[in-house]
Amino acid sequence: MNLVSMAAVAAAVEPELKWVSLWLRVRWAAALVVVLAALVVLLLPLAAVEEQCRAVFKGWLLLKTKLGLGYVGVSHSPGQTTGLSVTSGGLELLVLKPKVSAEIRLEAKAALNQALEMKRQGKREKAHKLFSHALKMDPDYVDALTEFGLFSEEEKDIIQADYLYSKALTLSPRNEKALVSRDRTLPLVEEIDQRFFSLIDKKVQKVMSIPKGNSALRRVMEESYYHHIYHTVAIEGNTLTLSEIRHIIETRYAVPGKSLVEQNEVIGMHAAMKYVNATLVSRIGSVTLGDILEIHRRVLGYVDPVEAGRFRTTQVFVGHHLPPHPRDVEKQMVEFVHWMNSEDAMGLHPVEFAALAHYKLVYIHPFVDGNGRTSRLLMNLILMQAGYPPITIRKEQRAEYYHVLEVANEGDVRPFIRFIAKCTESTLDMLLIATTEYSVGLPEAHSSTATGCKQTISVKTRT
């Protein structure tokens, strides 16, 4: 081989040698990084490592928002103590909210100014739309919340006004206008809520006076059992129809062409409801942590036997809400059960107690799946132990149901309690109507007439 050919070979091999050398350097650098990271984990306290992880997580959320991929913001809002609420016993609220740009803030401010001008001119319908638009643009605009509250007061919507003042104070606790206004509305709202509870109590007494052997009552309670299973799984996306659910429960045969997971959800709910009815409703004594785990074990047991009846070991995300860290779940569940059996909780109105128990459990979100179904069963257990019938949250109410849960996460649990109270009244009305001389059946599963849960019938007292 002559010198020319050797030079050509060397020239061809030299780039390959450079790439090999570069690759070896990269591999050594990667190995060095891994070793250094292992040393950091071993030398630093675990708490410091966790703080670094949290910082990385928050930075990731911020990056997502900058790229338009998600939500950002860590808000620690203390639970509000009101006449209708019991605080979460030290639970922190971690709410991820959309970031509002400067341009949107300017638009919200302009809408508020226009709303105030329309209000001054007496054009109240236009003012209402502009107030709503301002808050749609910037839901945390304190001035808009306060001014819309004053407008709502003038419209005699005291509950709406009090809610707006409460939200304004959550964001700006020393806002003088909101403080003065809420001092004015809070006693009125508490009086309205107590009157509503009194109305519900009268209807409960009316239902309890119906003879247990009443055939209409027995028939409607049997129908409501299937309706409850249908709606409680449909809220979470199950597509089975009411007739298919009845077929599965009565025959234990699968419905051809339908998801087996969805059918197992129905079987799980049926098993959990039988357990609650047969074991827990009539039992005298406290509700234990084991009871809640047993309910969940049946709810999820036919879908995911591994996770059924055990606390989650991973972090989960629920909309804008970030539930507690897995290591804190068991501790918070012990505190939750302690609260459930406390004198403070037992002294609440049964509907308020049941609603708060539902909210607190779904807030902790102790399980990988089945938290909503388990929370609704626990709520109904509390109601039934107090002599109330079990209530159903219909799938048509899904948007309102999730909305009031989100409002509770932001610091005001009262709208959620009122929602549950309205659904309780709706159930009582249904039972009273169905057991009258001209009885009617339950509304169809897809009926739009029962979406609001607000129908009311009068209660006649015996003379």
Side-chain angles (χ1 to χ4, degrees):
M1 181 180 291
N2 57 31
L3 293 176
V4 175
S5 60
M6 289 178 67
V9 170
V13 172
E14 185 178 358
E16 294 183 10
L17 291 174
K18 288 182 179 178
W19 279 111
V20 170
S21 176
L22 180 61
W23 173 240
L24 288 173
R25 290 176 185 175
V26 170
R27 290 185 65 184
W28 276 109
L32 183 60
V33 168
V34 171
V35 171
L36 288 174
L39 287 173
V40 168
V41 171
L42 290 173
L43 295 176
L44 286 180
L46 290 177
V49 174
E50 183 178 345
E51 287 302 316
Q52 291 295 323
C53 292
R54 287 180 178 271
V56 171
F57 174 68
K58 291 176 184 177
W60 174 73
L61 288 174
L62 180 60
L63 178 62
K64 283 184 69 181
T65 301
K66 293 293 184 184
L67 296 174
L69 298 175
Y71 296 99
V72 70
V74 181
S75 171
H76 298 277
S77 304
Q80 293 182 333
T81 303
T82 70
L84 256 185
S85 67
V86 174
T87 55
S88 302
L91 300 183
E92 284 186 330
L93 294 173
L94 185 56
V95 183
L96 310 179
K97 294 183 178 180
K99 186 177 180 181
V100 178
S101 67
E103 292 81 5
I104 291 177
R105 289 185 188 278
L106 285 175
E107 183 179 347
K109 186 175 181 180
L112 174 60
N113 291 333
Q114 290 178 347
L116 292 173
E117 179 59 24
M118 292 297 103
K119 175 183 171 182
R120 188 186 66 79
Q121 295 179 16
K123 300 177 180 178
R124 303 191 69 82
E125 186 175 346
K126 289 185 178 180
H128 188 282
K129 291 180 180 179
L130 286 164
F131 279 126
S132 300
H133 180 68
L135 288 174
K136 185 177 181 182
M137 293 295 99
D138 185 0
D140 293 344
Y141 190 4
V142 173
D143 289 343
L145 289 165
T146 305
E147 293 295 341
F148 196 14
L150 293 170
F151 180 86
S152 299
E153 264 196 274
E154 294 171 2
E155 295 289 303
K156 309 300 182 185
D157 192 347
I158 305 299
I159 290 179
Q160 169 79 352
D162 187 74
Y163 162 70
L164 293 166
Y165 298 144
S166 297
K167 185 171 181 181
L169 288 171
T170 299
L171 299 165
S172 179
R174 297 185 180 182
N175 186 289
E176 186 175 349
K177 185 181 285 189
L179 280 169
V180 171
S181 299
R182 190 161 187 270
D183 284 344
R184 184 174 58 250
T185 57
L186 183 57
L188 299 174
V189 168
E190 289 179 343
E191 183 182 348
I192 292 170
D193 289 330
Q194 292 306 317
R195 282 206 305 265
F196 190 36
F197 284 149
S198 297
L199 176 64
I200 289 175
D201 289 339
K202 290 179 181 178
K203 292 186 177 185
V204 169
Q205 292 173 4
K206 189 75 173 177
V207 169
M208 291 179 70
S209 69
I210 300 172
K212 299 300 180 184
N214 185 291
S215 59
L217 178 64
R218 188 170 59 250
R219 184 171 61 251
V220 77
M221 290 302 292
E222 180 181 343
E223 285 295 315
S224 67
Y225 183 89
Y226 295 106
H227 276 252
H228 179 81
I229 294 177
Y230 166 75
H231 286 288
T232 201
V233 297
I235 281 176
E236 299 181 14
N238 192 299
T239 62
L240 292 170
T241 66
L242 180 62
S243 60
E244 288 169 341
I245 286 173
R246 182 188 287 271
H247 168 82
I248 292 167
I249 293 173
E250 291 180 346
T251 67
R252 304 288 289 190
Y253 284 111
V255 177
K258 288 289 187 173
S259 163
L260 288 178
V261 171
E262 291 187 345
Q263 298 188 57
N264 282 333
E265 287 177 352
V266 169
I267 295 171
M269 275 303 302
H270 177 53
M273 289 174 68
K274 285 205 310 183
Y275 171 71
V276 168
N277 290 333
T279 307
L280 301 182
V281 172
S282 59
R283 193 185 70 188
I284 299 174
S286 305
V287 175
T288 67
L289 189 60
D291 295 333
I292 297 173
L293 291 172
E294 282 299 314
I295 292 172
H296 183 260
R297 189 170 69 83
R298 288 162 174 80
V299 166
L300 204 63
Y302 294 86
V303 176
D304 189 349
V306 174
E307 294 294 340
R310 63 190 290 259
F311 297 135
R312 59 181 167 85
T313 56
T314 57
Q315 184 63 59
V316 293
F317 302 86
V318 187
H320 296 167
H321 170 53
L322 181 63
H325 191 280
R327 72 162 184 272
D328 298 326
V329 167
E330 185 170 0
K331 175 177 176 289
Q332 293 197 8
M333 284 298 295
V334 170
E335 292 175 353
F336 167 63
V337 171
H338 177 73
W339 169 81
M340 280 188 64
N341 298 305
S342 67
E343 291 184 4
D344 287 341
M346 296 293 188
L348 297 171
H349 188 279
V351 173
E352 186 177 1
F353 179 22
L356 283 170
H358 176 312
Y359 169 67
K360 285 173 179 282
L361 182 58
V362 84
Y363 170 85
I364 298 171
H365 221 78
F367 310 113
V368 170
D369 192 17
N371 294 278
R373 282 163 280 169
T374 303
S375 297
R376 291 187 287 275
L377 281 170
L378 180 64
M379 173 183 69
N380 275 328
L381 170 61
I382 293 170
L383 288 173
M384 288 189 288
Q385 286 181 334
Y388 284 66
I391 70 169
T392 297
I393 300 172
R394 298 175 65 85
K395 73 169 187 176
E396 296 87 358
Q397 298 168 270
R398 185 177 187 270
E400 184 183 2
Y401 174 52
Y402 286 159
H403 170 69
V404 290
L405 279 172
E406 186 173 345
V407 169
N409 283 341
E410 293 175 353
D412 190 356
V413 75
R414 295 172 306 160
F416 181 70
I417 295 172
R418 294 187 189 109
F419 173 79
I420 297 301
K422 288 175 182 176
C423 291
T424 303
E425 185 194 27
S426 176
T427 298
L428 293 168
D429 286 348
M430 178 266 295
L431 293 174
L432 291 172
I433 293 171
T435 52
T436 57
E437 183 179 355
Y438 304 101
S439 62
V440 294
L442 289 175
E444 293 296 324
H446 58 274
S447 172
S448 61
T449 59
T451 59
C453 231
K454 295 180 181 178
Q455 61 269 35
T456 302
I457 65 172
S458 60
V459 175
K460 295 181 180 179
T461 56
R462 293 181 178 178
T463 56

